[in-house]
């Protein structure tokens, strides 16, 4: 995370915001202090907290990062500090204070394949900042090596991490969260769905009534595996959200590696998926940001990340607050300079007989 390297001086006018990110991880601690955690697996959880600044020049949907060189908070996302916890109790106590100060809300983000620790920290910071999320952010980081050639290693690492994610969700509840929202991306959806399945098997599928929104973004999960997981979990009390795109090139490749089996995040039959108790948000016609693979639309499209933030902030009242979804999307797009995006670009399929909680019927 470039901790310990020389930092270019900056003023408060150079900084758009600072965010405290709590971390639970199944990564090993790195032998290099500035890296903090590497891509190798640990069989026990480690805990940390980091303060990250966002530059005033930041544009919604972007992740301004230096390739090499000095840390410059006026131009780039910058981790100002990282502190570890020797044991879970210290982590939970600090998290409890943060959650209480933020109205009882908590957001757990689970990153995807080919993601280094610092990439995960900065992506979560960008999501929280651009979405305007006011609760306590918790990054669950599993041991991805951050290399495109390590797909199988990463998939196995996500499997190793499912118990750690279950433990983390229970820890967030013990820390006093009254609502726990989850965003999972790509391969992180495998660990997330497995952890939720395990919670259901234990008789605690909604985390003691605290489970809020579950956002499954570009899920790199075999469709049949997803169906099996949802059958064991049961239809959610509040439908999960699956954000998919048929032109997701990263998932097209994953499906080929997996024997030409469709991945959930590129699946064409929205009605089939919705029947398992999820709201399907098809983003195929939505333009991506800087990602040429169309794999991170939920975070790098300024309108989508803003809509995501509104959904998380409003919770179960979102539908009542946004009855004119089309008009809202188009006004928001124009306000953010995204004139090419309209409500017609976002195709929403809901479970039979369920009112869409994103503001349309």
């Amino acid at each position: 995370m470039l901790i310990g390297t020389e930092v270019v001086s900056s003023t408060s006018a150079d900084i758009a915001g600072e965010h405290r990110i709590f971390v639970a991880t199944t990564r090993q601690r790195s032998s290099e202090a500035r890296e903090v955690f590497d891509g190798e697996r640990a069989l026990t959880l480690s805990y940390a907290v980091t303060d990250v600044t966002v530059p005033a020049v930041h544009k919604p949907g972007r992740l301004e990062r230096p390739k090499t060189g000095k840390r410059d908070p006026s131009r780039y996302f910058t981790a100002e500090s990282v502190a570890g916890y020797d044991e879970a109790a210290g982590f939970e106590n600090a998290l409890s204070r943060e959650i209480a100060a933020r109205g009882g809300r908590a957001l757990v983000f689970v990153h995807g394949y080919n993601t280094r620790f610092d990439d995960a920290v900065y992506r979560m910071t960008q999501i929280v900042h651009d979405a305007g999320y006011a609760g306590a952010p918790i990054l669950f980081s599993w041991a991805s090596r951050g290399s495109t050639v390590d797909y199988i290693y990463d998939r196995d690492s996500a499997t190793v991490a499912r118990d750690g994610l279950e433990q983390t969700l229970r820890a967030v509840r013990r820390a006093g969260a009254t609502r726990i929202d989850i965003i999972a991306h790509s391969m992180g959806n495998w660990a997330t769905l497995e952890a939720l399945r395990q919670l259901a098997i234990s008789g605690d599928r909604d985390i003691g009534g605290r489970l809020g929104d579950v956002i499954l973004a570009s899920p790199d999960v075999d469709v049949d595996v997803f169906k099996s997981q949802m059958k064991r979990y049961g239809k959610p009390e509040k439908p999960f959200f699956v954000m998919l795109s048929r032109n997701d090139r990263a998932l097209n490749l994953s499906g080929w590696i997996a024997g030409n089996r469709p991945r959930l995040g590129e699946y064409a039959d929205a009605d089939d998926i919705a029947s398992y108790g999820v709201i399907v948000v098809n983003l195929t016609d939505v333009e991506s940001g800087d990602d040429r693979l169309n794999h991170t639309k939920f975070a790098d499209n300024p309108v989508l990340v803003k809509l995501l933030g509104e959904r998380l902030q409003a919770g179960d009242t979102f539908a009542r607050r946004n009855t004119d979804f089309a008009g809202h999307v188009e006004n928001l797009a124009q306000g953010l300079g995204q004139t090419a995006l309209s409500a017609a670009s976002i195709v929403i399929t809901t479970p039979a007989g369920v009112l869409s909680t994103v503001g349309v019927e």
Side-chain angles (χ1 to χ4, degrees), residues 25-348:
T25 182
T26 55
R27 296 175 184 267
Q28 287 187 7
R29 293 189 181 276
S30 175
S31 58
E32 296 188 19
R34 72 175 190 170
E35 189 179 15
V36 188
F37 295 103
D38 60 27
E40 300 306 303
R41 302 171 190 143
L43 296 181
T44 57
L45 284 169
S46 294
Y47 304 95
V49 65
T50 178
D51 293 320
V52 184
T53 59
V54 179
V57 297
H58 168 67
K59 295 181 179 180
R62 298 285 182 88
L63 226 178
E64 293 86 0
R65 296 283 311 280
K67 298 290 184 182
T68 58
K70 300 176 182 179
R71 293 187 294 148
D72 185 350
S74 69
R75 299 175 61 194
Y76 307 117
F77 281 70
T78 302
E80 296 291 336
S81 64
V82 177
Y85 296 94
D86 293 332
E87 54 188 32
F91 172 77
E92 288 185 29
N93 288 338
L95 180 59
S96 179
R97 293 190 292 271
E98 189 75 11
I99 289 173
R102 293 176 174 271
R105 299 289 298 272
L107 172 65
V108 177
F109 174 60
V110 187
H111 63 76
Y113 151 71
N114 188 22
T115 302
R116 297 178 306 171
F117 177 66
D118 58 338
D119 294 329
V121 169
Y122 291 130
R123 175 61 75 186
M124 177 161 209
T125 304
Q126 178 256 316
I127 292 170
V128 168
H129 184 84
D130 289 348
Y133 183 75
I138 302 104
L139 168 66
F140 181 80
S141 185
W142 50 276
S144 167
R145 276 188 174 154
S147 171
T148 56
V149 300
D150 283 322
Y151 183 86
I152 301 302
Y153 175 88
D154 274 18
R155 189 171 65 183
D156 290 343
S157 291
T159 300
V160 170
R162 58 191 174 184
D163 289 345
L165 178 53
E166 179 187 357
Q167 294 169 30
T168 299
L169 292 171
R170 294 186 189 278
V172 175
R173 178 183 62 188
R174 288 194 301 269
T178 57
R179 182 182 176 100
I180 304 171
D181 298 311
I182 301 172
I183 298 176
H185 179 235
S186 186
M187 195 178 284
N189 284 274
W190 164 250
T192 299
L193 288 164
E194 283 291 285
L196 291 172
R197 178 178 177 274
Q198 291 175 186
L199 285 165
I201 291 171
S202 73
D204 189 26
R205 71 177 196 154
D206 63 351
I207 321 176
R210 272 77 162 186
L211 185 61
D213 285 325
V214 176
I215 312 293
L216 308 176
S218 309
D220 188 0
V221 178
D222 182 282
V223 171
D224 291 336
V225 171
F226 170 76
K227 291 177 180 180
S228 176
Q229 290 167 323
M230 292 304 296
K231 282 183 178 179
R232 193 65 180 84
Y233 183 87
K235 287 193 175 183
E237 295 296 326
K238 292 175 286 189
F240 296 172
F241 291 79
V242 172
M243 304 180 77
L244 59 81
S245 177
R246 291 196 296 275
N247 60 3
D248 188 323
R249 296 186 181 92
L251 294 184
N252 296 159
L253 179 58
S254 296
W256 177 78
I257 293 172
N260 290 319
R261 296 296 304 165
R263 315 312 280 170
L264 179 61
E266 59 169 349
Y267 193 49
D269 193 344
D271 289 326
D272 183 25
I273 293 303
S275 69
Y276 287 83
V278 302
I279 293 173
V280 180
V281 185
N282 188 333
L283 304 175
T284 302
D285 294 331
V286 174
E287 292 184 0
S288 188
D290 292 333
D291 178 19
R292 290 176 295 178
L293 296 177
N294 297 319
H295 193 50
T296 55
K297 290 183 182 182
F298 81 105
D300 67 12
N301 182 288
V303 177
L304 292 182
V305 73
K306 182 64 175 177
L307 286 171
L308 177 62
E310 291 182 354
R311 166 69 213 184
L312 293 173
Q313 191 64 28
D316 300 330
T317 67
F318 190 84
R320 293 191 294 274
R321 291 178 54 180
N322 291 277
T323 53
D324 182 12
F325 181 68
H328 181 66
V329 169
E330 289 168 11
N331 287 338
L332 181 60
Q334 290 177 10
L336 293 172
Q338 300 289 303
T339 54
L341 193 149
S342 69
S345 305
I346 305 172
V347 181
I348 299 170

